[in-house]
Amino acid sequence: MEYLTLNNGLKMPKLGFGVFQVPDLKECEEAVLNALEAGYRLLDTAAAYGNEEAVGAAIKKSGIPRQEIFLTTKLWVADASYEKAKVAIEISLKKLGTDYIDLYLLHQPYGDVAGAWRAMEEAYQAGQLRALGVSNFYPDQYKNLTLMSQVKPVLNQIEVNPWFQQNSDVAYFQGED
C-alpha cells in the first residue's frame, strides 16, 4: 500500500474505498468487509450517506486493529455551525463505534463554516479527530478558511473524473503548502 503524508505528519493510504450511494446498511457492511478483506485500509463515508453504523460494524467484524484502518467521514451542511458540529462529531464517533476519526471533512462550503471549523479544531485538539480537511471547496473558499483557522486543512476532497477534471482547481491545490 502506498501512503501520502499529510501536512500534520499523518500517513494516509493513497487508495480508499468509499460508500457513497450505499444506503442499504447490510449491503454497505458486506461491501466494507469485502473491501477490508481485499486489502483496502482507507474507508470513506459521511454523515449524509446514512451508513456510518454499517461502516463501524464492518470494521469491528473485520478483526483488523482499528489503528490499521484510516477512517474518513464528513460533517453535513445541516450541521455546519459551532454547536451542531460538536454534536455531529459525537454522533459520528458513536455510529462508527470508535473513539477517534482519522480524517474529518467539512462536506460542503455552506452554513457557518467558521463555527463548524472551530468545533472541528477543538475536537482535533482533544484527539477525537486526527486530521481536518474539507470537501468540495473552490480555491477562494479554501483560502478564506485557511486565513481564519488555527489548524490548516490537510486536504480538499474534490470530484475528479474523465468527464469532470477541474484542472485549474487540481493545479491550485497541488501547489498548496
Side-chain angles (χ1 to χ4, degrees):
M1 176 68 66
E2 290 186 45
Y3 292 83
L4 296 170
T5 300
L6 303 174
N7 67 14
N8 68 351
L10 189 63
K11 291 191 182 290
M12 179 181 87
K14 282 188 176 182
L15 184 63
F17 186 78
V19 294
F20 176 56
Q21 294 184 329
V22 188
D24 180 277
L25 298 184
K26 184 178 178 187
E27 182 181 336
C28 181
E29 184 178 323
E30 185 178 326
V32 171
L33 270 170
N34 289 335
L36 290 169
E37 287 172 14
Y40 283 92
R41 290 300 179 264
L42 185 156
L43 301 174
D44 182 279
T45 187
Y49 301 171
N51 56 22
E52 288 177 319
E53 288 169 318
V55 172
I59 291 169
K60 186 175 181 178
K61 283 184 181 177
S62 75
I64 297 167
R66 171 64 183 89
Q67 64 272 16
E68 292 181 21
I69 297 171
F70 192 96
L71 183 57
T72 301
T73 194
K74 304 169 195 74
L75 178 75
W76 186 234
V77 176
D79 295 319
S81 73
Y82 177 75
E83 290 299 330
K84 288 182 180 179
K86 287 174 66 169
V87 172
I89 292 165
E90 293 297 329
I91 291 170
S92 286
L93 286 165
K94 184 176 179 180
K95 286 183 176 183
L96 290 162
T98 187
D99 57 354
Y100 69 94
I101 295 165
D102 295 289
L103 176 59
Y104 196 72
L105 305 176
L106 191 54
H107 206 148
Q108 301 277 346
Y110 305 115
D112 178 11
V113 170
W117 192 260
R118 190 165 40 100
M120 291 167 61
E121 287 178 328
E122 288 176 8
Y124 174 80
Q125 298 300 337
Q128 293 176 301
L129 309 175
R130 296 182 67 211
L132 305 180
V134 296
S135 180
N136 303 302
F137 275 55
Y138 291 117
D140 61 328
Q141 296 164 322
Y142 178 88
K143 187 64 174 175
N144 286 339
L145 177 67
T146 63
L147 290 172
M148 64 91 189
S149 58
Q150 293 178 26
V151 178
K152 184 176 178 183
V154 297
L155 59 80
N156 180 18
Q157 184 185 75
I158 61 172
E159 178 183 2
V160 176
N161 65 58
W163 298 275
F164 189 59
Q165 295 187 16
Q166 301 199 69
N167 292 326
S168 63
D169 287 3
V170 169
Y172 174 83
F173 290 115
Q174 286 181 337
E176 275 293 297
D177 292 325

